[in-house]
Amino acid sequence: MSATAPEDVVIAGAGPNGLMLACELGLAGVRPLVVERLPGRTEENRANGLVGQVVRMLDRRDLYERLSGSAGPPRPGPSFVFGAMPLDLGDLDDNPLCGLPVPQRRIEQVLEERALELGVEIRRGHELTGLSQDEEEVTAEVTGPAGPYRLRARYLVGADGGRSLTRKLSGIGFPGVTTDESVSRTAHVSLPPAIIDAATGGLDVPGYGIIPPFMHHRTERGLFVFAPFAAGSPLVSTTEWDPGHDGDRPLTVAELRESARRVLGADLPLGPPEGAGPHLLRRLTGRNTRLADRFRERRVLLVGDAAHVHAAIGGPGLNLGLQDAINLGWKLAAEIRGWAPPGLLDSYETERRPAARRVVMHTQAQTALIKPGAEVTALRELFTELLTDRRNVQHIADMMAGADVHYEMGADHPHPLVGRWAPDLLLDTPAGRVPLARLTASARPLLLDLTEDAAPAKEAAAWHDRVDTLTTSCPDPNPPATALLLRPDGYVAWASAAVRPAAREREALRAALTRWLGPAVLSRPSG
């Protein structure tokens, strides 16, 4: 096997997380090489959409309209579900639970198209089979259609799923728990029109009653979900806490119908799906909850399921994994391009591992709340009481969306926004009034200066090669800040509430610029 010229970054895995990372690197001027063992994009629908903070993040990369097919920004939904209990989100001051019901195969298609626009090379049918590394580079052994070969790279990122070979080969531990206590069955089906409830769009099951759509419905015998994503072929899913099933034989609609009868105690006349498909027919046994003991081993890093796996309840997987990629992309690009300050790349793990741990926590809590048993039913009664308090609903909605993520920015006496997701501001620009999302598609750091004397913009001039600066105004008479420094991942690294920031705040801005973007350049831009 002959070694090729070194790459900057090799990404193992062309699923959503690997492709998102490739896009982020491409925006930063780095051209990664993506290797994927499958010869083409999978037709299997592993997810049916996105929910949470990542929906707004995709809007800030000008990808939301491509995925949604409609104009306008993301809008939060009026309700959601936590542990098969409804969350009424209509009265929240700030509802963070935006949803985007798009099949995963479409998400992968759009991300691949964008990656190719940015000059990324994707090699499908090329499988990572081995790796080694030293202090200077990683050597990846790859097998492609023409046989084995080696790739040398400055960094290798494993985006190759829960069974990640990258993680195993790099010696990163994956502690956690695997159980076989449950069986989940999911399939596209057809249903008689007579049992569709006209008022709710859910099911009116004879002998049982109304089951709302898209809501996890718990009984003492299991869990049932009806999700009419597509006309004629809705998804029906059941979960039972009985490990018995039909061995390794493929799931059938008849098996799913019997499972639904056990869970509901009533017959649901399921038939084969209509239309050309692709149609899902899947049985999953047990649950796997694991968190990598570290996200980096020298020049090898992990994103998405390669770093964490958990129950799918609440749909947090892509929300978590895609934000891993967005957090890592600009930091890895800074390292490669030579301006990363010390410790920047290490901050990927210190920021994202706690976020993953929180998702593991709340998915485990939700799993406990859907199990059968009198004790669980009593716990659910208590939770139902707690969820009448709007503050508790806000807390859970923020947690499920990832809107409660707060990064340590190292600032003294910080503004409340520092370390948090930047709010969706409207801003006056030379091109007219635009939302913040229209200013962040380039994935560059951004300083917004709404002050009277433009002092923050003057301070940032020495970082002109790494940060975009906009001296602007906001139609809101009481904006949440008068100046903000945004990292490329949308989080606030510095902020001020003063119309004329004092010397101490300007010094804090210089410290934030240095901490996240490295030392200032020696010369200022001409003109």
Side-chain angles (χ1 to χ4, degrees):
M1 295 186 292
S2 61
T4 62
E7 306 284 342
D8 284 329
V9 182
V10 170
I11 301 172
N17 300 318
L19 291 171
M20 188 77 241
L21 176 60
C23 290
E24 292 294 293
L25 289 168
L27 285 167
V30 175
R31 299 292 179 264
L33 171 61
V34 182
V35 294
E36 166 58 51
R37 66 178 182 83
L38 296 177
R41 287 195 305 272
T42 179
E43 288 297 311
E44 180 184 355
N45 243 0
R46 294 174 180 150
N48 293 293
L50 300 169
V51 65
Q53 201 81 333
V54 74
V55 178
R56 288 174 170 169
M57 187 67 238
L58 289 172
D59 188 42
R60 293 189 179 182
R61 290 295 187 265
D62 203 22
L63 291 169
Y64 176 77
E65 289 188 11
R66 288 197 194 195
L67 286 162
S68 67
S70 59
R75 300 293 182 191
S79 61
F80 203 65
V81 63
F82 177 80
M85 291 179 289
L87 292 176
D88 183 356
L89 307 174
D91 293 333
L92 296 186
D93 295 331
D94 182 15
N95 179 1
L97 278 166
C98 294
L100 183 59
V102 177
Q104 180 169 326
R105 62 180 183 274
R106 174 60 180 161
I107 296 169
E108 291 185 9
Q109 178 187 356
V110 168
L111 291 178
E112 180 175 327
E113 290 170 354
R114 181 59 175 144
L116 293 174
E117 290 170 6
L118 293 167
V120 174
E121 181 183 356
I122 303 172
R123 297 182 185 176
R124 293 191 176 273
H126 293 248
E127 181 177 9
L128 176 73
T129 58
L131 69 85
S132 60
Q133 61 174 315
D134 55 32
E135 297 305 314
E136 301 296 328
E137 64 183 24
V138 183
T139 300
E141 297 178 13
V142 181
T143 299
Y149 62 97
R150 287 193 178 103
L151 287 170
R152 291 161 44 226
R154 293 180 64 183
Y155 291 92
L156 173 70
V157 181
D160 45 350
R163 298 178 179 178
S164 170
L165 184 62
T166 306
R167 184 188 65 242
K168 296 172 184 176
L169 292 172
S170 61
I172 295 175
F174 205 39
V177 177
T178 299
T179 71
D180 60 357
E181 63 179 356
S182 64
V183 178
S184 297
R185 300 171 174 90
T186 305
H188 286 102
V189 298
S190 60
L191 290 157
I195 69 169
I196 304 298
D197 180 57
T200 65
L203 299 177
D204 187 355
V205 181
Y208 186 84
I210 303 295
I211 298 177
F214 300 110
M215 303 296 286
H216 295 163
H217 188 75
R218 174 192 179 263
T219 75
E220 288 293 350
R221 297 167 297 276
L223 193 73
F224 180 88
V225 182
F226 170 64
F229 288 109
S233 297
L235 272 176
V236 165
S237 180
T238 65
T239 300
E240 297 180 83
W241 275 264
D242 177 0
H245 58 83
D246 292 346
D248 295 328
R249 289 182 294 175
L251 176 68
T252 64
V253 172
E255 182 187 334
L256 177 61
R257 181 171 180 173
E258 288 302 314
S259 177
R261 189 200 307 271
R262 291 190 295 270
V263 170
L264 299 175
D267 185 49
L268 186 61
L270 304 178
E274 300 173 356
H279 295 129
L280 182 64
L281 204 63
R282 181 178 63 200
R283 183 198 306 110
L284 297 175
T285 302
R287 296 183 185 277
N288 198 15
T289 302
R290 296 183 178 276
L291 178 61
D293 58 25
R294 58 195 187 280
F295 285 12
R296 179 186 181 188
E297 173 57 34
R298 294 185 291 166
R299 292 184 172 272
V300 177
L301 300 106
L302 306 177
V303 296
D305 289 356
H308 39 70
V309 294
H310 47 78
I313 190 166
L318 285 177
N319 186 28
L320 180 63
L322 290 172
Q323 290 193 83
D324 287 349
I326 293 163
N327 184 287
L328 175 60
W330 70 277
K331 297 173 180 178
L332 188 54
E335 196 75 30
I336 289 166
R337 299 189 69 186
W339 59 258
L344 181 66
L345 194 54
D346 288 333
S347 73
Y348 166 63
E349 179 179 323
T350 59
E351 291 183 345
R352 293 309 296 167
R353 195 170 184 277
R357 178 66 190 88
R358 192 154 178 79
V359 170
V360 167
M361 178 272 290
H362 77 67
T363 54
Q364 286 179 317
Q366 291 185 77
T367 300
L369 285 166
I370 64 176
K371 290 183 177 181
E375 296 87 351
V376 175
T377 300
L379 183 61
R380 292 175 62 83
E381 290 177 6
L382 175 59
F383 260 80
T384 299
E385 294 177 14
L386 295 174
L387 291 177
T388 60
D389 188 323
R390 186 173 68 174
R391 293 170 299 178
N392 293 333
V393 176
Q394 183 76 63
H395 182 90
I396 289 177
D398 288 344
M399 177 179 65
M400 296 187 72
D404 63 349
V405 168
H406 179 263
Y407 296 143
E408 174 56 52
M409 296 290 177
D412 294 328
H413 308 292
H415 187 283
L417 286 176
V418 172
R420 299 194 178 277
W421 173 258
D424 293 322
L425 299 171
L426 275 177
L427 299 162
D428 293 316
T429 73
R433 186 165 292 173
V434 299
L436 174 62
R438 300 287 74 82
L439 304 173
T440 56
S442 64
R444 280 174 57 85
L446 176 65
L447 177 70
L448 299 175
D449 189 343
L450 287 69
T451 64
E452 290 182 351
D453 58 1
K458 295 171 185 174
E459 295 289 352
W463 284 265
H464 65 89
D465 60 327
R466 279 155 280 164
V467 63
D468 292 336
T469 300
L470 178 64
T471 303
T472 182
S473 61
C474 177
D476 185 344
N478 297 298
T482 57
L484 302 99
L485 175 63
L486 275 62
R487 303 189 324 184
D489 57 359
Y491 284 81
V492 178
W494 171 89
S496 173
V499 294
R500 289 177 173 267
R504 183 178 180 182
E505 284 194 292
R506 298 197 302 272
E507 181 180 345
L509 171 58
R510 291 193 297 272
L513 287 162
T514 303
R515 175 182 177 130
W516 297 108
L517 305 180
V521 295
L522 296 178
S523 61
R524 293 174 179 262
S526 60

